[in-house]
């Protein structure tokens, strides 16, 4: 009686946390239906550990794939524009040969004074081939040859056909633009009064065609040709207007200032475009060469003056109107000051844009101009110049190195 009562109602209910789990039968272990009679045991409550998303998985492999966070999607690498491939090889060689024909025609068509139509016709034909090829590639390839597609990073990849079309527009077009300018000069230079307007016409045509080419393919080659066209017109403008400013003894300063204004204007306007590096570097090369030419001219004039001064012929006037015994010290110092401004701007552009061309310009300007200036100034002790320049340069590099060292120590 006592045993029946205890078995009927005094035992605690099954499934409590304090009871040990029931032993699994061989059927349980195999996953089949349990063979024991009676009601099936109540499954234990789900552990709270598996309900937390992102928590470390519990031991025993009880974590389900539903509760685990999905793995991050793989990063899509941006696709680079395809290279033009071997298709650029015949383009480069073909354009080079046509450019040689144009140069030969431009230099030989008026070798005897009169226009040689046989040579001139070759130049016209080569120029026409280049321009027509660029136009055909622009018109026929528009819309279906570019084959652009979006990538995961938002960039667009250009197919090989599209890149080849751009090359076929860029190089024949750019050289064709210069060929048009050369043929205009050869054909019109003997007209009455051409020395007053021909440079403006040629420069304007080159700039206009370059703008059309740049709008078509947005390549830097047309930026270069546009700068050359502006330079042609600017030289004529300087000869018409700027050269009349000041005295004869100030011509070196005026020439350097004219070059500096052109470099600054082209760099500032080009900075607004995505081809800012190309326009800035090309204008900088013009400025670098121009400043050195000005100082070389002063060196030559001073050397000629000293040569004739040894024979008691000082004070002569050369064809340029520059006196051999002029004092060029102020001219040189002013030119060096303008060169220092350009050097500083190029270094700043290199820091902002990161193009190494600006860095090369900032290094080349003082490295070439200062030695030339010491010859014009007839410096007796150039050692002190070298010590001063080297000292300032070493201090600047030491400051940069010290900053790097302090930043590394702070990181550790």
């Amino acid at each position: 009686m006592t045993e029946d009562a205890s078995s009927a109602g005094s035992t605690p209910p099954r499934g409590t946390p304090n009871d040990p789990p029931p032993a699994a039968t061989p059927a349980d272990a195999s996953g089949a239906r349990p063979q024991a009679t009676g009601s099936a045991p109540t499954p234990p409550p789900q552990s709270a550990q598996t309900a937390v998303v992102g928590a470390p998985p519990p031991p025993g492999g009880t974590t389900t794939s539903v509760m685990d966070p999905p793995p991050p999607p793989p990063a899509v690498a941006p696709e680079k524009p395809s290279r033009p491939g071997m298709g650029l090889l015949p383009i480069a060689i073909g354009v080079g040969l046509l450019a040689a024909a144009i140069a030969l025609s431009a230099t030989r068509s008026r070798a005897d004074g009169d226009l040689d139509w046989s040579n001139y016709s070759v130049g016209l034909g080569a120029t026409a081939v280049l321009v027509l090829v660029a136009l055909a590639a622009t018109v026929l390839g528009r819309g279906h040859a570019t084959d652009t597609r979006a990538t995961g990073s938002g960039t667009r990849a250009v197919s090989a056909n599209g890149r080849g079309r751009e090359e076929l527009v860029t190089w024949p077009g750019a050289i064709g633009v210069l060929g048009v300018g050369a043929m205009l000069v050869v054909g019109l230079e003997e007209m009455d009064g051409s020395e007053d307007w021909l440079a403006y016409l040629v420069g304007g045509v080159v700039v206009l065609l370059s703008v059309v080419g740049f709008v078509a393919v947005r390549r830097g080659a047309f930026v270069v040709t546009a700068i050359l066209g502006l330079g042609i017109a600017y030289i004529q403008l300087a000869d018409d207007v700027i050269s009349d400013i000041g005295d004869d003894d100030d011509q070196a300063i005026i020439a350097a200032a004219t070059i500096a204004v052109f470099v600054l204007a082209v760099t500032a306007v080009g900075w607004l475009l995505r081809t800012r590096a190309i326009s800035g570097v090309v204008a900088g090369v013009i400025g670098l060469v121009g400043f050195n030419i000005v100082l070389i001219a002063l060196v030559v004039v001073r050397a000629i003056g000293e040569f004739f001064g040894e024979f008691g012929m000082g004070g002569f006037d050369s064809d340029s109107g520059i006196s051999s015994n002029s004092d060029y010290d102020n001219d040189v110092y002013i030119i060096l000051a303008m060169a220092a401004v350009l050097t500083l701007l190029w270094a700043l552009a290199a820091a902002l844009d990161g193009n190494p061309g600006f860095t090369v310009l900032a290094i080349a300007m003082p490295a070439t101009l200062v030695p030339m200036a010491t010859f014009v100034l007839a410096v007796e002790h150039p050692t002190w110049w070298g010590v001063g320049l080297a000292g300032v340069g070493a201090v600047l590099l030491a400051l940069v190195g010290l900053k790097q060292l302090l930043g590394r120590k702070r990181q550790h």
Side-chain angles (χ1 to χ4, degrees), residues 284-306:
V285 171
I286 295 174
L288 177 65
V289 174
F291 269 64
N292 278 277
I293 290 176
V294 171
L295 284 188
I296 289 174
L298 292 181
V299 170
V300 172
V301 171
R302 188 180 187 97
I304 293 175
E306 292 178 354

Side-chain angles (χ1 to χ4, degrees), residues 15-20:
T16 59
N18 295 327
D19 292 342

